[in-house]
Amino acid sequence: MFAAEDAAPPAASGAPASAEEGLPATLETALYRLPMGDPSGRVLAVLTLVSAPGWHAYAVGPAESGQSAQAALAAGNSQALVFFPPGVPTPDALEPDKTVLVYEGRTPIFVPLTDAMLAAPALTGRVKVFSCSATSCWPSNLEVNVPLDKAADTAALPPAEAAPWWPVFSALRSAALAMPAAVCPEPAHPGLPRAASQAAAPGPEAAAPAASGQGFPGNLAPRSFTPALEVSSLLKAASLAFLAGFILNFMPCVLPVVSLKLSGLLALCGEEGKVERRRILREHNFFFALGILTYFVVLSVLLGGLGMAWGEMFQSPQLAIVVTAVLFALSLSLFGVFHLPVVDLKISSGGRGHTRRGAFLTGMLTTLLATPCSGPFLGGVLAWTLLQPLHVVTTVFCAIGLGMAAPYGVLAIWPRLVRFLPRPGAWMHGLEKAMAFILAATCLYFLALLPPQRLLPALAALWATALGAYLFGHGANLSHGPLRRAGAAVAALVVAGGGLAFALTYAPPAETGWMPYTPEALERHLGKENVVLDFTADWCPTCKLLERTVLTPPRVAQWASRHRAVFMRVDLTRQTPPAMALLRALGSQSIPVIAFFPAGEKAGSPLVLRDLFTAGQFEQAMDQAFAPPADAAKAAP
């Protein structure tokens, strides 16, 4: 974005920050003279972020991945306003389907200095950036200490307007000045709105989203690819919500249940008289629509009151398991294994399955299945709605419910419209079986939401549900006596309920094989046992990839047993000083890193494995560091 020779600082620049540490990002500092009358002050400090070859730093701004750059700078008692330039959109090296904003090469960061700040001895603080290469990532906390004694002679400083980055700084400054003064009547920085100063100079603990104003101070103006669908008023939100709710009826999560219920209603046309048929159609659709609306009202209270996101409740493994078991039971019912008395979707049931309670519960079930789906228009609607007060959230969600319930409400008011639907026939029973398979496939979707440790208990619950359905279906036959039918129902409930209770109360065992790193723990085992240290962090995508593909629990248990080794995990998410010092002592400044400390006198000479690696490479490194076990050596040809 900026050529190296263009962004090179003048002779007045300071020493590169953190250059001696060998970090993938360093800072060079310089002072420039601003034009007379410039609204941002008399002197401009420029911190040039220098990324090492092959590395890039995540820029400030909205992106699909990455950690935004941050800065916290001050001179004396005055917080500094920091202007980060826009980053370059680039596919993420580790996740190519995502776009990130990056700084490459030399990138100027601008800090206007007020007269009050120039009275201080130095501009101090830190700039924090996350840098990544093709194989690893690393955070850099770059200390800033720019002496301001040379700023006393402003005329001796090089002119800022002659620098190649001047148009970029001018545009960023103009963006800050464009903020309405009425919003911030008391500027904290001469010539610049107060909100811009606060947004651009967060405290040291500010999170990345709060620091977005550093790049575009207080004046971010994101552009939507579909601006007509963006929401800024309740009327537009409710209108789009109604349309989105109507479309939810045709989403893969919902369509099987809706198709079966409509087909069941069609079956009534040949089994009931005209008056009774209309009554059942009107009654069923009314209570079905009421179930949809009730669910959306409850959902709006949960999302608006608890601050949850759309579909977030399915992050609960318990809820996902319950929904999966219900869907599996429904599919077994459609296959004819048993008759489900509460929510019956079988077309062959005729009018028997269309009670008020059944219609209401089916409406709620249908809406529950719609929750993990995100149909058209919902993105923009929910993005605006979930930031509003609770009464607005409830209003918009009621509009979604009305849209979803609209077809059934229309049929409830004008049941004669059912004559426009296809005529009932043998095709409906084929549809029933096809939808049974689709419901079974929907179970796979919900199982995919579960953590790996929960998958086996969930499958056990489904097996118990199948057994319970079989017992109930064969024991509750009307030809049997009431005692036998009651016994079959109790046995089915005990079996299915027991399996479900096991899956819901199952507590996954704690991650085995890994010991958390502490200096004391390492000292206890070092030299006495083989020790494997894994340096990882939550912000390191490569580390997480290795944990899921190479350092899996079965492999770690096997390797630990084979070499009698202690596996210890060093979490650098918060960069504790002892762990950082240990990493530097191993000759590394980035992660992932694996260190193999052999027992005995060679403990002081660990073998280090860096960046991406395979399971085979890990095994070879262990054999080289710890020597192959005796049994393995004898077996070798």
Side-chain angles (χ1 to χ4, degrees), residues 145-225:
N145 191 339
V146 183
L148 300 180
D149 52 347
K150 296 181 180 180
D153 186 6
T154 307
L157 298 177
E161 64 270 26
W165 40 254
W166 175 253
V168 177
F169 168 72
S170 181
L172 294 173
R173 179 198 55 199
S174 299
L177 290 170
M179 293 183 61
V183 176
C184 309
E186 299 179 7
H189 191 287
L192 293 175
R194 178 178 177 181
S197 300
Q198 293 174 342
E205 302 301 323
S212 61
Q214 294 172 3
F216 306 90
N219 196 37
L220 280 178
R223 295 176 298 145
S224 172
F225 181 71

Side-chain angles (χ1 to χ4, degrees), residues 18 27 47 49 69-73 82 84 109 111 124-130 139-144 214:
S18 302
L27 284 178
L47 316 178
L49 176 67
Q70 304 176 44
L73 304 174
V82 182
F84 279 85
I109 302 169
V111 187
T124 59
R126 65 175 54 187
V127 174
K128 182 177 181 180
V129 295
F130 280 80
S140 300
N141 286 310
L142 308 175
E143 298 293 334
V144 175
Q214 294 172 3

Side-chain angles (χ1 to χ4, degrees), residues 35-399:
M36 185 172 296
D38 191 285
S40 51
R42 295 187 297 119
V43 177
L44 177 68
V46 179
L47 316 178
T48 302
L49 176 67
V50 183
S51 295
W55 290 77
H56 64 259
Y58 288 119
V60 169
E64 295 178 336
S65 181
Q67 300 275 349
S68 289
Q70 304 176 44
L73 304 174
N77 295 324
S78 302
Q79 293 292 321
L81 175 67
V82 182
F83 293 108
F84 279 85
V88 178
T90 305
D92 193 308
L94 301 175
E95 297 178 277
D97 58 322
K98 294 184 178 180
T99 300
V100 295
L101 302 176
V102 302
Y103 298 140
E104 294 179 327
R106 302 173 65 87
T107 305
I109 302 169
F110 310 104
V111 187
L113 302 176
T114 65
D115 290 341
M117 298 170 68
L118 292 174
L123 173 69
T124 59
R126 65 175 54 187
V127 174
K128 182 177 181 180
V129 295
F130 280 80
S131 301
C132 283
S133 67
T135 57
S136 59
C137 295
W138 190 246
S140 300
N141 286 310
L142 308 175
E143 298 293 334
V144 175
N145 191 339
V146 183
L148 300 180
D149 52 347
K150 296 181 180 180
D153 186 6
T154 307
L157 298 177
E161 64 270 26
W165 40 254
W166 175 253
V168 177
F169 168 72
S170 181
L172 294 173
R173 179 198 55 199
S174 299
L177 290 170
M179 293 183 61
V183 176
C184 309
E186 299 179 7
H189 191 287
L192 293 175
R194 178 178 177 181
S197 300
Q198 293 174 342
E205 302 301 323
S212 61
Q214 294 172 3
F216 306 90
N219 196 37
L220 280 178
R223 295 176 298 145
S224 172
F225 181 71
T226 54
L229 300 182
E230 291 300 307
V231 174
S232 58
S233 67
L234 179 58
L235 179 60
K236 187 172 184 179
S239 302
L240 290 176
F242 182 89
L243 184 57
F246 178 78
I247 294 176
L248 277 178
N249 288 293
F250 307 99
M251 298 302 293
C253 304
V254 181
L255 189 59
V257 176
V258 171
S259 301
L260 288 169
K261 293 310 293 183
L262 289 178
S263 300
L265 291 176
L266 290 175
L268 296 177
C269 297
E271 298 184 15
E272 304 289 349
K274 182 177 181 180
V275 175
E276 182 65 11
R277 182 169 65 244
R278 289 185 179 180
R279 184 194 67 79
I280 292 177
L281 286 171
R282 181 177 286 115
E283 189 175 83
H284 170 82
N285 283 289
F286 174 79
F287 281 97
F288 188 84
L290 183 61
I292 292 175
L293 287 173
T294 301
Y295 181 90
F296 271 109
V297 170
V298 174
L299 184 63
S300 69
V301 173
L302 287 176
L303 301 189
L306 302 180
M308 299 173 64
W310 174 267
E312 184 178 347
M313 56 187 176
F314 283 96
Q315 292 182 1
S316 166
Q318 288 81 2
L319 179 60
I321 291 173
V322 170
V323 172
T324 305
V326 171
L327 288 177
F328 189 61
L330 289 174
S331 68
L332 293 176
S333 174
L334 295 176
F335 281 124
V337 177
F338 76 116
H339 167 68
L340 190 62
V342 179
V343 181
D344 187 19
L345 298 180
K346 284 186 66 62
I347 297 170
S348 57
S349 317
R352 292 174 297 140
H354 303 294
T355 63
R356 296 177 178 179
R357 179 185 61 183
F360 180 82
L361 293 177
T362 305
M364 295 197 71
L365 171 66
T366 304
T367 318
L368 175 66
L369 297 179
T371 310
C373 291
S374 57
F377 314 126
L378 266 183
V381 170
L382 295 176
W384 178 84
T385 301
L386 294 178
L387 297 177
Q388 307 306 313
L390 180 59
H391 69 278
V392 176
V393 176
T394 304
T395 302
V396 174
F397 271 74
C398 285

Side-chain angles (χ1 to χ4, degrees), residues 526-613:
L526 195 61
K528 303 172 185 176
E529 300 172 88
N530 294 328
V531 178
V532 179
L533 288 186
D534 172 31
F535 290 83
T536 184
D538 290 344
W539 43 258
C540 175
T542 314
C543 305
K544 297 305 176 185
L545 177 65
L546 290 172
E547 291 171 14
R548 290 193 297 266
T549 58
V550 176
L551 302 176
T552 59
R555 283 183 176 147
V556 169
Q558 177 186 357
W559 292 331
S561 174
R562 182 176 178 223
H563 287 277
R564 295 188 176 90
V566 175
F567 278 70
M568 197 173 293
R569 181 155 280 163
V570 187
D571 189 353
L572 293 178
T573 301
R574 291 174 177 80
Q575 303 181 51
T576 55
M580 297 290 291
L582 176 59
L583 182 66
R584 292 192 178 99
L586 292 171
S588 293
Q589 290 284 1
S590 64
I591 55 176
V593 166
I594 301 288
F596 303 90
F597 292 84
E601 298 178 354
K602 294 185 179 180
S605 181
L607 182 67
V608 177
L609 181 62
R610 294 185 176 88
D611 299 330
L612 289 170
F613 52 83

